[in-house]
Amino acid sequence: MDRLILLAALVLAPLTAGVLVPMRAGAQTDLPAIAPGTPYDQARRMLLAERWQPLRDPEADRCLPTDTRCTGRPEMVACAGTGLGHCLFAWRRGPTAIEVITAGPDTVVTGLRRRR
């Protein structure tokens, strides 16, 4: 239950506080441009091609073997088991760390933000 509360705080608070960076980074050239609605598989391939590295968080939730949202994705930080099924995926390139936020069983990208 504590993980669910943590996930809600991680995903929902920044969304409502306006902390999300624009999906098309524009002037912020150190951030990837990922369009809302992009399937995470496609976004992941793009990040790898642009030399972003999966960030393995030692505090990350464990992925259940039956959860296709996070299987084979070591960058998964947390995936909610209820509601919109949000997941957080962490990446790093140089000094910049980001989180990609997805929703639903098909892990569609809904947001991108700098990781704190």
Side-chain angles (χ1 to χ4, degrees), residues 24-89:
R24 296 274 177 205
Q28 299 177 1
T29 58
D30 61 334
L31 298 177
I34 302 173
T38 301
Y40 184 69
D41 280 342
Q42 180 180 342
R44 188 174 197 280
R45 285 191 302 272
M46 185 215 62
L47 289 167
L48 290 168
E50 292 182 7
R51 296 184 323 249
W52 287 86
Q53 298 295 313
L55 196 155
R56 296 172 191 241
D57 185 336
E59 301 290 321
D61 287 347
R62 290 181 43 149
C63 181
L64 298 175
T66 57
D67 192 345
T68 58
R69 298 174 300 165
C70 54
T71 301
R73 297 172 174 167
E75 67 274 14
M76 186 275 296
V77 176
C79 281
T82 61
L84 296 176
H86 284 105
C87 290
L88 289 177
F89 299 96

